[in-house]
Amino acid sequence: MSDEKEIEEVENLEARLLVAGVSINQLVRCYADFLLHLIEGEALSNISSAKLELMFKYLSKAVTPGVIESSQEQRKGFFVDLWPIERQYRESDPVFANFVRCVICCFGNEEDWEQDDTGEATPLWYFLFYIKKVCPEIKNEFLQYFEGAFSERGLSER
């Protein structure tokens, strides 16, 4: 699923984000914003507008300041709502189920990431992995979006 060039590009971006001091919470919020951007564009035309509207409501909450930073208990309701939706569509609409997984990622935070201890410095790989299951050719747009979102932090090529 990933070639050498893709691995290098993602690792390079991740390293620059870390050097610039971008937090996990900021990356999560940026991912939610990226998914909103995809809904508003045409990249998700293979998902019904009713389903996208439902996910839009959740993503709008994910980009709201303070939601990602809230306690696990406060964010639990989003997971409780979203996992059954993912499960419901896993067989009948796998593209949408994969998109729901992307949305679920938008309610995890830095504390969750540290507890999961995946060995990765950031969830950037996971974000790309999940959205590529929905839009296989999205890598360049994904990388550009994160670059642009944090460009004011001095993310120049090093």
Side-chain angles (χ1 to χ4, degrees):
M1 188 163 201
S2 297
D3 61 20
E4 245 180 80
K5 183 177 186 263
E6 179 177 273
I7 291 168
E8 184 180 323
E9 289 173 323
V10 174
E11 286 181 353
N12 185 320
L13 175 60
E14 183 177 60
R16 290 181 289 126
L17 290 167
L18 289 169
V19 167
V22 176
S23 72
I24 301 298
N25 290 353
Q26 290 170 310
L27 288 176
V28 171
R29 191 170 288 111
C30 184
Y31 188 53
D33 197 56
F34 176 68
L35 298 177
L36 284 168
H37 164 79
L38 293 180
I39 289 173
E40 292 166 347
E42 299 200 12
L44 303 173
S45 60
N46 53 348
I47 300 173
S48 78
S49 58
K51 291 174 182 174
L52 290 176
E53 284 177 34
L54 177 62
M55 291 303 106
F56 186 91
K57 291 176 184 176
Y58 284 101
L59 290 167
S60 295
K61 291 176 180 153
V63 297
T64 302
V67 171
I68 293 170
E69 294 80 11
S70 64
S71 72
Q72 174 67 28
E73 197 58 40
Q74 290 173 305
R75 289 176 294 110
K76 184 179 178 181
F78 297 112
F79 298 116
V80 168
D81 289 350
L82 289 165
W83 277 115
I85 296 169
E86 186 276 341
R87 199 170 16 263
Q88 175 186 355
Y89 290 100
R90 201 175 286 165
E91 298 297 321
S92 65
D93 189 349
V95 172
F96 178 61
N98 283 317
F99 189 68
V100 175
R101 280 188 217 114
C102 295
V103 175
I104 289 168
C105 289
C106 297
F107 292 98
N109 66 13
E110 195 140 5
E111 182 181 320
D112 298 329
W113 184 249
E114 289 171 5
Q115 286 176 357
D116 289 345
D117 194 23
T118 65
E120 294 289 333
T122 73
L124 206 59
W125 275 110
Y126 294 95
F127 294 166
L128 180 58
F129 174 78
Y130 285 128
I131 195 59
K132 279 178 68 176
K133 288 180 172 272
V134 179
C135 306
E137 303 300 320
I138 199 75
K139 178 200 67 148
N140 289 337
E141 187 174 350
F142 175 89
L143 294 173
Q144 289 170 358
Y145 198 88
F146 277 83
E147 279 280 350
F150 299 108
S151 62
E152 70 279 357
R153 290 184 170 242
L155 293 184
S156 60
E157 289 292 329
R158 294 177 189 196

